[in-house]
Amino acid sequence: MAPGPEVSGIDIYLRIKPVQRASTRLAFDTTENKIKFVIPRNEAAGLVTNRRGHFEFRFNGILTAEAKQDEVFERVARPAVMGAMSGYNGTIFAYGQTGSGKTFTITGGPERYVDRGIIPRSISAIFSEISKRADQQFTVHISYLEIYNNEGYDLLDAEREIKAMEDLQQVHLGEADDGTVSYRNLSMYRANNEEEALNLLFLGDTNRTISETPMNMASSRSHCIFTIHVEGRKVGEDLVRRSKLNLVDLAGYQRVPKKGVDRTTHREAKYINLSLHYLKQVIIARQEKAMGMNRPHIPYRNSMMTMALKDSLGGNCRTTMVATVNSAQDQLDESISTCRFAQRVAMVRNTVLLNEELDPSLMIRRLKQEVRELKEEIRLLKGEEEERGPLTPDEITRLQGTRC
Ligand code: ADP
Ligand code: MG
């Protein structure tokens, strides 16, 4: 029998980006998984909204500037990958200011093989795990969604030539009666092996780059969700386990200078900041709910990004957040606000279920097979009788001969 629901918090990890000159105001305690900001009083007033000079935040784990991509994968993502193989939904999302290493963490750096991020490493781990489990059958599908200016786009739209964002297939979200979110027009491609899955990632990333407006090439202005859908069952059984592993690269908060910025950039920044604001509202509502406050309404519907992450932020999902920070002196206020947000995220409670069900189509297939075999058996039995059936004239004569 499947285990009952398990209540699980969101794990939070802090990742520090290596910089030339790290601020001396920052200190880590990697045994206690704490980060401390010590700000002299005269600086504190301008730097952060309150006048405290001491800030301390605790995480589930700290990935210092020296931490390499393989360590990040092992600590942050491996558990989610193994969970997905066993039928548990997982989400890993990176959150932090622009340039702090979100894309580097989730997708990786483009130049060196060792810089591969969580997505390619998860793909690799899933297929290597599949090859080890001979008693199970798995199918893997991939989807890749981009959210730009609060609209969804299918990054795996292979049908047409992509030159701009508008060329991508638009994706719409729907909500079922039970609250689960579904996608319309988001393609899902089957990947039979690691190479096929990596090709899909490559196609999506290429579409993402091509469709970005040239002036913004340096930083991504969209949220992206790469999803690995895993379906597994033991050979010869009708029980199917289905899970989704969402790997999420959020766009970072945009500072918008008052002058000298064109309208497109303004519009993009507005949408990004608004969606991050709504994300905060959802997290605050979930956190308050977890603390027992009466929060019947969680404002998911305000933005497409929060809708797309609905399950990850308080639903049936094991979720992990990587808070990325830049330790340079002039970025401290942003780093503090990222850490503060992470503390709230850590208090969200998700109810995680093993996604296991009897697959009716598999059961029907198995029952049909059984019926076929039984019919065959009956036919044989009957057939034998029929062969013996009408007596040949020879048999009749012999039988008559025995009558006395
Ligand atoms: P974001 O997605 O948060 O805007 P990026 O991931 O694009 O930021 O990172 C900005 C730049 O810093 C990129 O050139 C990236 O390769 C580099 N970078 C970020 N984190 C690291 C890291 N941990 N190690 C090495 N380079 C990094
Ligand atoms: Mg990025």
Side-chain angles (χ1 to χ4, degrees), residues 77-135:
R78 168 86 64 192
V81 166
M82 298 311 279
M85 297 292 295
S86 311
Y88 292 98
N89 293 334
T91 293
I92 298 167
F93 73 99
Y95 179 97
Q97 71 197 88
T98 301
S100 58
K102 296 182 295 298
T103 303
F104 188 80
T105 299
I106 299 293
T107 308
E111 272 145 38
R112 299 183 310 163
Y113 188 68
V114 287
D115 287 341
R116 270 149 50 246
I118 286 176
I119 300 179
R121 287 172 192 269
S122 299
I123 290 175
S124 192
I126 282 177
F127 284 102
S128 117
E129 203 50 42
I130 289 176
S131 68
K132 284 187 209 149
R133 302 191 186 185
D135 59 331

Side-chain angles (χ1 to χ4, degrees), residues 102-380:
K102 296 182 295 298
T103 303
F104 188 80
T105 299
I106 299 293
T107 308
E111 272 145 38
R112 299 183 310 163
Y113 188 68
V114 287
D115 287 341
R116 270 149 50 246
I118 286 176
I119 300 179
R121 287 172 192 269
S122 299
I123 290 175
S124 192
I126 282 177
F127 284 102
S128 117
E129 203 50 42
I130 289 176
S131 68
K132 284 187 209 149
R133 302 191 186 185
D135 59 331
Q136 281 168 280
Q137 285 180 334
F138 288 94
T139 44
V140 175
H141 287 84
I142 305 284
S143 61
Y144 204 177
L145 171 74
E146 171 161 38
I147 299 173
Y148 174 78
N149 289 359
N150 208 34
E151 305 277 1
Y153 297 92
D154 182 4
L155 281 173
L156 298 186
D157 182 357
E159 299 297 307
R160 26 187 152 182
E161 198 190 340
I162 307 301
K163 291 209 186 80
M165 189 72 74
E166 300 76 57
D167 297 333
L168 291 169
Q169 172 70 52
Q170 242 187 291
V171 177
H172 298 281
L173 287 186
E175 204 178 359
D177 288 344
D178 67 354
T180 51
V181 175
S182 61
Y183 295 96
R184 190 148 46 89
N185 291 338
L186 180 66
S187 42
M188 280 226 279
Y189 286 99
R190 180 158 178 182
N192 293 302
N193 49 46
E194 179 177 350
E195 194 192 344
E196 286 180 14
L198 287 175
N199 283 342
L200 290 165
L201 170 64
F202 183 71
L203 168 71
D205 282 341
T206 308
N207 282 343
R208 183 179 179 181
T209 314
I210 294 173
S211 60
E212 265 172 11
T213 41
M215 75 190 84
N216 297 324
M217 286 293 262
S219 93
S220 39
R221 298 299 186 105
S222 57
H223 310 297
C224 286
I225 307 182
F226 185 87
T227 306
I228 308 176
H229 309 252
V230 182
E231 192 178 303
R233 70 179 172 106
K234 282 227 166 75
V235 175
E237 283 186 10
D238 307 330
L239 273 182
V240 177
R241 290 177 176 178
R242 291 194 185 89
S243 58
K244 283 188 278 186
L245 181 61
N246 300 309
L247 306 170
V248 187
D249 182 13
L250 295 178
Y253 178 78
Q254 309 288 308
R255 283 179 209 243
V256 193
K258 296 234 164 28
K259 286 188 192 143
V261 180
D262 64 284
R263 278 183 58 198
T264 315
T265 310
H266 246 291
R267 206 169 118 85
E268 288 173 345
K270 191 185 90 182
Y271 276 113
I272 292 171
N273 294 347
L274 203 59
S275 61
L276 292 170
H277 167 73
Y278 288 135
L279 176 65
K280 280 196 181 161
Q281 287 198 335
V282 166
I283 294 293
I284 290 170
R286 295 280 350 169
Q287 177 213 355
E288 290 179 356
K289 197 173 177 148
M291 288 167 70
M293 288 162 75
N294 185 22
R295 286 299 305 239
H297 175 67
I298 311 290
Y300 293 110
R301 285 195 198 83
N302 285 340
S303 93
M304 185 159 194
M305 184 257 276
T306 48
M307 266 305 269
L309 294 180
K310 187 171 176 235
D311 249 357
S312 314
L313 306 170
N316 172 19
C317 189
R318 286 180 180 161
T319 300
T320 304
M321 167 184 175
V322 186
T324 53
V325 299
N326 183 325
S327 53
Q329 177 75 15
D330 61 346
Q331 311 278 338
L332 287 189
D333 53 348
E334 300 274 4
S335 302
I336 291 172
S337 100
T338 298
C339 290
R340 228 186 233 148
F341 179 62
Q343 306 300 299
R344 282 189 181 276
V345 170
M347 295 182 73
V348 172
R349 291 287 170 268
N350 286 359
T351 306
V352 185
L353 295 164
L354 175 65
N355 302 303
E356 184 177 67
E357 60 182 22
L358 266 179
D359 184 329
S361 63
L362 280 179
M363 202 162 70
I364 291 169
R365 211 183 309 156
R366 184 175 55 76
L367 291 176
K368 274 188 176 163
Q369 177 66 26
E370 270 179 37
V371 169
R372 247 198 314 274
E373 284 168 11
L374 288 172
K375 275 189 176 160
E376 181 70 7
E377 225 173 287
I378 292 171
R379 201 185 61 78
L380 281 175

Side-chain angles (χ1 to χ4, degrees), residues 42-54:
N42 57 340
E43 284 178 31
L47 196 59
V48 276
T49 48
N50 70 33
R51 286 168 179 274
R52 256 174 57 210
H54 238 86

